[in-house]
Amino acid sequence: MARLLEVRNLQTQFFTQDGVVKAVNGISYILDEGETLGVVGESGCGKSVGVMSLIKLIPSPPGKIVGGEVIFDGQDLLKMNDNEIRSVRGNKVGMIFQDPMTSLNPVLTIGRQISEALELHLSMDKAQSRARTIELLELVGIPLAADRIDDYPHQFSGGMRQRVMIAMGLSCNPQLLIADEPTTALDVTIQAQIIDLVKKLRDELGMAIIWITHDLGVVAGLADRIIVMYAGRIVEEAPVRELFANPRHPYTLGLIGSLPRLDEHARHRLESIEGLPPDLIALPAGCPFHARCKYRIEKCVAQNPPLELVGVGHKLACWIDVNKDPVTIEHPWREN
């Protein structure tokens, strides 16, 4: 597969009265055409800021992208001016935001909000954009789309509003769709419907997806590859099956250990990760996870480990290999 996106040493900071918040600290990864990449981690780890930086959606001030490159389809998005990046947003790169109620304009019909992008990016007239909008609403499963095109966001349920957001994200047939925790506010039944819909559309349209979530269970059946983030850094990256079968970072172990399981090996109390994430204004000199880590050694306090290849497609930023090191603590959820 051809490479669609390459992120190199991306750094984003927020300059506040309390100090400089180091939200994203040198992340690098690639994405191929048609691939689905899951980005996971707890709240505040830099997941959303990292992808918003790709298309320069960081509010400035106080935010600023202070370093790195984002090579998309052969061009560095970070070097584009405002007009150039606007031609990419919503056109080549679609976006689904976390909360559709605050992302949709309450005083415009959903039809108008979708057709606006079609008229702007694809130069459609009003009749063409309206017909295409009805097609998009039908594509994402809105019943009686022709009758509902002139309805307002408050007339839709939460799940239907999220379907409208997906229709907006897909309106210009993007090469890349970024989904920022799009199922967080929905109940589990609607979550499953939305995920199934995105998988179906991905397979039909052949687009690449970056799916951001704090729920490893969501990306287990959706992503091809997973990136685990902590304190603005990537601490582990692996194909999805490899990550669940062979997690190597203590933070990833903690995340997976906190998932409820239905198999017979899981008759145990769920694990929790003790402590709190580090202050992003005053990051520690060593590994940012060392204060919460059961495996830490003296080196972890002084030096931050680089992200290095430890297997086929598997990268790890840790001084301890929990699969080989004798200090490994047994986890009852893992099969021997």
Side-chain angles (χ1 to χ4, degrees):
M1 283 186 286
R3 183 168 298 176
L4 178 65
L5 174 74
E6 183 172 0
V7 179
R8 303 172 184 165
N9 196 31
L10 182 64
Q11 301 166 61
T12 303
Q13 300 178 354
F14 291 86
F15 296 83
T16 70
Q17 290 183 340
D18 296 327
V20 179
V21 179
K22 300 175 183 66
V24 176
N25 300 300
I27 63 173
S28 300
Y29 58 89
I30 60 172
L31 181 70
D32 291 331
E33 292 179 354
E35 185 182 20
T36 301
L37 176 68
V39 182
V40 302
E42 61 196 280
S43 297
C45 72
K47 305 185 302 293
S48 295
V49 173
V51 294
M52 293 295 185
S53 300
L54 302 183
I55 48 177
K56 299 176 73 172
L57 278 179
I58 300 299
S60 179
K64 185 178 180 182
I65 300 167
V66 297
E69 297 175 290
V70 177
I71 309 301
F72 175 76
D73 202 21
Q75 293 181 292
D76 188 351
L77 299 184
L78 301 186
K79 291 182 179 177
M80 290 184 174
N81 60 35
D82 289 346
N83 288 332
E84 290 171 334
I85 197 68
R86 283 194 198 102
S87 71
V88 174
R89 291 191 208 122
N91 186 14
K92 294 181 179 180
V93 180
M95 187 88 195
I96 306 172
F97 294 98
Q98 183 170 351
D99 185 358
M101 198 61 215
T102 56
S103 302
L104 292 169
N105 190 323
V107 299
L108 293 179
T109 65
I110 57 103
R112 179 59 195 144
Q113 295 185 61
I114 297 173
S115 63
E116 183 179 21
L118 296 169
E119 294 167 16
L120 176 65
H121 293 300
L122 302 183
S123 301
M124 291 185 178
D125 60 30
K126 291 194 179 296
Q128 291 172 324
S129 65
R130 184 176 179 87
R132 175 59 177 158
T133 297
I134 293 171
E135 288 178 11
L136 287 163
L137 292 175
E138 290 172 343
L139 182 69
V140 299
I142 301 288
L144 303 173
D147 297 328
R148 304 219 60 187
I149 189 173
D150 294 318
D151 286 350
Y152 291 86
H154 72 271
Q155 295 174 276
F156 289 78
S157 67
M160 286 298 169
R161 282 195 293 267
Q162 198 57 277
R163 288 171 186 265
V164 170
M165 289 295 298
I166 293 172
M168 291 177 68
L170 298 177
S171 59
C172 297
N173 298 319
Q175 296 169 269
L176 169 63
L177 181 68
I178 297 173
D180 185 8
E181 302 202 43
T183 60
T184 298
L186 306 176
D187 64 61
V188 289
T189 305
I190 304 301
Q191 274 189 24
Q193 292 176 6
I194 295 296
I195 292 167
D196 287 343
L197 171 63
V198 170
K199 289 166 70 174
K200 173 176 172 285
L201 295 173
R202 174 196 62 188
D203 295 339
E204 289 178 1
L205 303 176
M207 61 190 172
I209 297 174
I210 297 178
W211 188 284
I212 305 156
T213 183
H214 62 270
D215 188 346
L216 275 166
V218 167
V219 291
L222 177 68
D224 300 307
R225 195 158 42 91
I226 295 179
I227 282 173
V228 180
M229 287 191 66
Y230 186 79
R233 294 183 172 95
I234 296 174
V235 295
E236 188 162 11
E237 177 185 345
V240 62
R241 289 181 179 274
E242 168 70 8
L243 190 88
F244 281 92
N246 187 26
R248 307 279 281 270
H249 196 280
Y251 181 59
T252 311
L253 285 168
L255 290 178
I256 296 177
S258 66
L259 288 175
R261 289 171 60 118
L262 299 178
D263 60 17
E264 61 182 0
H265 300 286
R267 294 173 183 170
H268 70 286
R269 292 178 64 87
L270 294 179
E271 294 184 25
S272 62
I273 303 174
E274 296 181 359
L276 295 171
D279 184 355
L280 294 179
I281 294 177
L283 283 169
C287 172
F289 188 64
H290 80 262
R292 307 172 73 184
C293 184
K294 301 174 182 178
Y295 305 88
R296 65 180 177 267
I297 58 176
E298 189 175 340
K299 189 175 184 179
C300 302
V301 181
Q303 297 181 46
N304 191 21
L307 187 68
E308 295 181 331
L309 199 65
V310 293
V312 179
H314 198 150
K315 296 180 180 179
L316 177 69
C318 187
W319 296 122
I320 297 293
D321 188 334
V322 295
N323 287 337
K324 298 177 182 178
D325 198 280
V327 302
T328 298
I329 298 171
E330 187 174 341
H331 288 264
W333 56 268
R334 300 184 71 192
E335 298 176 16
N336 296 320

